[in-house]
Structures are given as C-alpha cells and as structure tokens.
Amino acid sequence: MNIEHDITIALTKGRILKETLPLLARVGIEPCEDLSVSRRLIVATTVPRLNLVILRGSDVPTYVQYGSADLGIAGKDILLESGGAGIYEPLDLGIARCRLMTAGPQATHAEVELKRRVRVATKFVNVARAHYAKKGLHADLIKLYGSMELAPLMGLADEIVDIVDTGKTLAENDMAPRELIADISSRLIVNKAAMRTRHGSVRAIIDALKHAVTQQGPA
Ligand code: AMP
C-alpha cells in the first residue's frame, strides 16, 4: 500500500484491537512493535507514513472528529453514544459483534413495565435516553463506567443498558436480556476534512479494508 500523506489511524484497545490487528495485517498494515509489550502510544507501521494510536474506545471518535487522527476503528455502541459529528462511517468491519440491550433481574421485569418510570444504570446515557423516550417511559439515568451488572443487584437501578455478547455475564448475575437496542459491530470512521484533503491516502485505506472484508468475510 502506498500512502502519499502522513496518516494516523486510531484503534480501540482491548477486545476490538485483537480482532482489528488480523484485519489490518490482511491489507499489509502491521505495527512495527509488539503492542502487547510496548507502552508506546503512537506506533509506526510497516506502511511508511502510516501510524497507529491505541486508545480507549470512547476516545476514538473524539480524536477522529477533531482530525488528530484521520481514521479510526470503534464499536457502533461508542459511535451511537458519541453522536458522530464530523465523522464519516464508510465501512462496517463486521468484527467484535455483540448487541446493545436493556437487561435486568427476571423478577422485576413486570414491575418496570408497570411503573412507567425506571431507574437505569449505564455507560450509554445518550442511547438509553433516546430508547426509553421512544417507549414513552421516563428513565432516571445513572452514569456508570463499568460493572453495570452490579447496579440492579445492589438496588442502584431497575435495569441496565449494556453490551451483551454470549449473555454469560448477565446469567451469572441472575439477570436476563430484555430489549434489543442495536446490533453492534466495529466500524471504520473517517474525519470529514481528511476525506477531502488527504483523499488519495484515505481512499486507499478504505478500499483495501473494504476489499478484505467483502472478499474473506469478517476477520
Ligand atoms: P457476555 O458475558 O459474553 O455477554 O459479555 C458481556 C461483557 O463483555 C459485557 O460486560 C461487555 O462490556 C463485554 N463485551 C462483550 N462483547 C463486547 C464487544 N464487542 N465490545 C465491547 N465489549 C464487549
């Protein structure tokens, strides 16, 4: 791959990164150092002029929106929550699939439906607000940063809005999924200005990834 501008791609660390690296390798982009060992935050790649930054998922759209990173890879859950200003989302990479759902203890489901007012703990307050408003339910939203499953067990909330993959975490905490809010996968995102000013380089990366995803299916 030939890149004619300096380009930075912001990647989401953790589970998404594990599925992203094989996909990038398929288009010839490989980090020059072992990301599981290195503490470096900006990492050069085997493609000259192309660097990676490894971030918390919720920071990826921010870096891309402001143009500090030209492209990014982030979960649709994060993109729904952030609102996506200044960002194009040209490609569903089909990786890190999961569901964004409401969930809660089996016993309280009927109560919640009756109350018309529900206390909800979540990291995704904007998505949750829109979901409950659409249902005509008043939701008191409580922002948490992790272990959402704990909130109903401790009496902090009636329900949670969270990511569900196998459902094992919910089941082990005596909870069940309730309503699907959105099917989630990771998306390639692009800064709108970079799409114009660095068109050739950005397009080359989008096209290579599109080809890799459609030729071989999700990584
Ligand atoms: P599970 O027990 O398989 O339903 O996994 C649920 C937990 O894993 C949740 O607490 C999520 O935060 C996390 N998780 C699962 N899949 C993803 C994903 N694709 N992206 C981010 N977090 C995920």
Side-chain angles (χ1 to χ4, degrees):
M1 181 183 295
N2 268 326
I3 299 292
E4 68 217 39
H5 307 90
D6 291 322
I7 294 285
T8 303
I9 309 180
L11 302 183
T12 298
K13 65 171 76 166
R15 185 186 303 240
I16 294 178
L17 185 64
K18 281 205 197 103
E19 295 190 42
T20 300
L21 292 176
L23 185 58
L24 291 179
R26 266 164 37 191
V27 302
I29 303 171
E30 294 191 64
C32 289
E33 40 197 305
D34 182 351
L35 296 181
S36 59
V37 180
S38 171
R39 296 240 160 178
R40 202 187 284 275
L41 297 172
I42 304 176
V43 181
T45 70
T46 46
V47 176
R49 308 189 71 168
L50 181 59
N51 289 323
L52 305 174
V53 289
I54 319 295
L55 305 173
R56 269 183 80 114
S58 46
D59 290 337
V60 170
T62 308
Y63 273 78
V64 175
Q65 177 185 346
Y66 287 96
S68 303
D70 304 290
L71 299 105
I73 292 178
K76 183 68 181 173
D77 50 332
I78 301 289
L79 299 173
L80 288 171
E81 182 63 18
S82 77
I87 286 172
Y88 289 123
E89 191 191 303
L91 186 59
D92 182 348
L93 298 170
I95 58 174
R97 287 181 186 279
C98 54
R99 288 157 294 153
L100 190 56
M101 302 198 69
T102 67
Q106 286 287 23
T108 65
H109 193 177
E111 276 170 46
V112 167
E113 291 292 315
L114 280 175
K115 275 206 290 200
R116 315 305 300 166
R117 187 177 183 118
V118 58
R119 266 206 309 178
V120 181
T122 186
K123 190 162 79 172
F124 304 98
V125 286
N126 295 325
V127 173
R129 189 178 297 112
H131 172 76
Y132 288 98
K134 210 159 72 184
K135 281 171 60 81
L137 273 177
H138 181 91
D140 295 314
L141 296 165
I142 301 170
K143 169 101 182 181
L144 290 179
Y145 293 87
S147 301
M148 257 70 76
E149 298 82 4
L150 191 58
L153 301 180
M154 303 288 290
L156 182 63
D158 304 302
E159 280 193 347
I160 60 173
V161 168
D162 198 9
I163 296 293
V164 181
D165 181 11
T166 61
K168 210 165 154 233
T169 309
L170 289 176
E172 283 185 8
N173 290 288
D174 304 316
M175 275 186 275
R178 289 177 180 172
E179 287 175 312
L180 176 69
I181 298 178
D183 284 308
I184 304 297
S185 55
S186 294
R187 311 297 166 97
L188 181 68
I189 56 173
V190 183
N191 173 268
K192 283 189 174 173
M195 190 73 151
R196 288 194 307 274
T197 58
R198 298 166 181 208
H199 187 78
S201 304
V202 168
R203 197 71 245 175
I205 295 167
I206 297 172
D207 288 346
L209 284 169
K210 193 176 275 176
H211 186 74
V213 168
T214 51
Q215 285 291 297
Q216 297 187 36

